[in-house]
């Protein structure tokens, strides 16, 4: 009987179905439905430019969706701050095959979106309202809206959930602690001790002079910190989407909010701390931590215990970009969480 059912599933798949109906009752998604583009003519391959209102006027932000799934729409918030959606392109190798709709989004000042070139606009509350305007324009709601924030995007996703969680179906905080003071402390007390003392002394000397434009600064950080804790590969072997995204970094936005580098934090996010408020997030929430991250994986695990319906994904071989350097663990866990929530689970064992 099982053998015959497997053959039937295969035949249905070849006929255009993603999968047979799951035991949990999840609906099937056909290839034709997933790739159907019902947008107005002329079609743009899923690109939608959204006009947002800000205290400084109207601006345009860029979005692009891949696929259609009325129950699972995953909006991606890039890190940096000031990087682009492009480093998320690795998800195209995994999520469409599972019927998960992806939505790329360049935040204001990033990538294909407008850049007002006004540092007063780089504030967390304004970015939260921007995400809400994007949600409304894309017609996302609590029946389908999954929000994934990576790094700085995790701060933004947390703040969005604290104000607007009624609009969410699921929340994913990827590689971001819930406290920037704790993040800075982890860098100082744990990660800095892994440096060659002479290298660390030189880095600290450059920082003391605020000589951040000195090419020696990043020349020291890239092999000694970034290649160990941001993406665990020699820098000349970093994936092209990562390089393309980071090469477009909005340095004004990055330095204003983060500070001069990933080694600690020194921008206007320095005192951000939401540890005490995590317990008020009641939607299914996943935190993703990695062993070699700039973020403490134990803190990420703790976060999952604070959410009312929390799940934790640990990437033992990953760093800050665990979607690349522990890819199978990351993608398998992310897919399992989204599908579990879609099937009605509040927390998902990963």
């Amino acid at each position: 009987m099982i053998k015959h059912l497997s053959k039937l599933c295969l035949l249905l798949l070849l006929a255009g179905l993603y999968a047979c109906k799951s035991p949990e009752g999840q609906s099937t998604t056909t290839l034709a439905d997933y790739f159907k583009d019902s947008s107005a003519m002329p079609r743009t391959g899923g690109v939608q430019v959204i006009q947002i209102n800000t205290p400084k006027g109207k601006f345009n932000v860029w979005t692009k969706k891949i696929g259609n799934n009325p129950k699972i729409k995953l909006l991606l918030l890039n890190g940096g701050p000031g990087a682009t959606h492009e480093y998320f392109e690795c998800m195209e190798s995994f999520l469409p095959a599972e019927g998960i709709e992806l939505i790329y989004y360049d935040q204001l000042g990033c990538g294909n979106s407008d850049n007002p070139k006004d540092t007063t606009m780089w504030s967390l509350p304004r970015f939260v309202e921007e995400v809400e305007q994007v949600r409304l324009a894309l017609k996302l709601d609590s029946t389908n809206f999954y929000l994934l924030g990576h790094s700085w995007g995790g701060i933004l996703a947390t703040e969005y959930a604290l104000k607007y969680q009624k609009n969410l179906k699921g929340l994913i905080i990827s590689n971001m602690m819930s406290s920037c003071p704790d993040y800075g402390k982890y860098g100082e007390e744990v990660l800095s001790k892994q440096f060659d003392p002479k290298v660390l002394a030189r880095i600290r000397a450059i920082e003391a002079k605020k000589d951040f434009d000195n090419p020696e600064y990043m020349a020291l950080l890239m092999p000694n910190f970034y290649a160990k804790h941001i993406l665990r590969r020699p820098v000349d072997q970093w994936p092209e989407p990562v390089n393309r995204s980071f090469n477009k970094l909005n340095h004004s936005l990055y330095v204003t909010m983060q500070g001069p580098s990933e080694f600690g934090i020194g921008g206007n996010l320095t005192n951000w701390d939401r540890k005490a408020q995590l317990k008020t997030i009641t939607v299914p929430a996943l935190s993703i931590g990695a062993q070699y991250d700039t973020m403490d994986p134990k803190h990420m695990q703790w976060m999952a215990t604070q959410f009312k319906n929390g799940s934790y994904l640990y990437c033992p071989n990953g760093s800050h970009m665990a979607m690349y350097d522990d890819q199978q663990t990351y993608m398998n866990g992310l897919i399992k969480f989204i599908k579990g929530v879609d099937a009605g689970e509040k927390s998902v064992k990963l």
Side-chain angles (χ1 to χ4, degrees), residues 239-284:
E240 190 275 339
V242 176
N243 290 331
R244 179 159 29 96
S245 179
F246 287 6
N247 286 339
K248 297 178 183 178
L249 184 75
N250 181 334
H251 290 279
S252 166
L253 173 49
Y254 180 83
V255 173
T256 299
M257 300 191 80
Q258 164 72 25
S261 80
E262 292 295 299
F263 186 26
I265 187 161
N268 61 20
L269 293 171
T270 299
N271 297 316
W272 180 80
D273 189 311
R274 286 298 200 176
K275 294 197 301 287
Q277 288 77 38
L278 296 182
K279 61 187 178 183
T280 67
I281 296 177
T282 59
V283 296

Side-chain angles (χ1 to χ4, degrees), residues 76-200:
L76 303 170
L77 302 181
N78 62 261
T84 75
H85 75 279
E86 290 160 298
Y87 71 80
F88 285 126
E89 288 175 355
C90 60
M91 296 198 174
E92 294 178 37
S93 297
F94 299 89
L95 303 194
E98 301 295 332
I100 295 170
E101 179 179 324
L102 282 172
I103 306 173
Y104 294 138
Y105 156 39
D106 282 339
Q107 301 150 31
L108 189 66
C110 300
N112 299 316
S113 295
D114 287 349
N115 181 4
K117 298 182 179 179
D118 182 347
T119 58
T120 64
M121 297 188 68
W122 309 145
S123 73
L124 184 50
R126 193 210 60 75
F127 274 111
V128 169
E129 296 311 311
E130 178 183 318
V131 174
E132 174 61 1
Q133 292 182 65
V134 168
R135 178 195 72 82
L136 288 167
L138 295 175
K139 298 180 173 59
L140 309 176
D141 59 40
S142 61
T143 68
N144 55 35
F145 180 25
Y146 294 81
L147 183 64
L148 184 153
H150 172 255
S151 191
W152 138 254
I155 294 178
L156 180 53
T158 300
E159 285 294 312
Y160 180 86
L162 288 171
K163 186 171 183 179
Y164 291 115
Q165 67 174 312
K166 66 181 183 296
N167 301 323
L168 291 169
K169 187 173 182 179
L171 173 69
I172 301 104
I173 307 298
S174 176
N175 306 90
M176 186 65 226
M177 296 165 66
S178 59
S179 166
C180 284
D182 287 3
Y183 156 39
K185 184 178 179 182
Y186 183 69
E188 185 63 35
E189 296 184 358
V190 178
L191 300 183
S192 69
K193 291 179 171 55
Q194 299 175 22
F195 274 90
D196 178 316
K198 292 181 180 179
V199 172
L200 180 61

